[in-house]
């Protein structure tokens, strides 16, 4: 995921709308749903987890996310607290290699 998500690279600022409350974008909603579908990975990547390998269902879920909506990986690493669970970024970055998956290039996150 490090190759995909350029950890440390800033995400572009959200557009500002005068006198209106910010609302979630379609991408945010789609990513939130996609990340919920990866719930079997949470026990592995959650901060403080002692698990040494992800749940059996995690890797197929990650593969599906990479195929269908890889930008969501950037969203997760760019805003790890957005899902309401503290994520161990080191474990999250290692997850593709643990699952023997290849992530898209860094340009996907820009």
């Amino acid at each position: 995921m490090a190759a995909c998500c350029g950890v440390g690279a800033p995400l572009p600022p959200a557009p500002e709308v005068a006198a209106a409350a910010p609302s979630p974008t379609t991408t945010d909603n789609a990513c939130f749903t996609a990340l919920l579908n990866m719930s079997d990975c949470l026990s592995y990547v959650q901060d403080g987890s002692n698990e040494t390998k992800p749940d059996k269902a995690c890797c197929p879920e990650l593969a599906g996310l990479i195929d269908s909506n890889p930008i969501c990986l950037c969203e997760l690493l760019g805003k790890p607290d957005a899902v309401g669970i503290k994520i161990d970024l080191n474990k999250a970055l290692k997850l593709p290699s643990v699952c023997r998956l290849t992530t898209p290039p860094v340009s996907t996150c820009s």
Side-chain angles (χ1 to χ4, degrees), residues 13-82:
E16 293 183 13
V17 178
S23 61
T25 64
T26 303
T27 303
D28 288 343
N29 289 336
C31 285
F32 185 73
T33 301
L35 293 172
L36 283 177
N37 290 335
M38 290 187 49
S39 61
D40 290 306
C41 298
L42 287 178
S43 60
Y44 176 73
V45 298
Q46 187 172 358
D47 193 32
S49 171
N50 293 324
E51 292 189 20
T52 57
K53 62 181 183 174
D55 187 75
K56 182 179 176 181
C58 172
C59 293
E61 291 170 359
L62 177 60
L65 180 65
I66 291 169
D67 288 342
S68 67
N69 210 345
I71 195 70
C72 292
L73 297 173
C74 303
E75 291 283 324
L76 176 62
L77 293 176
K79 304 176 201 172
D81 295 331

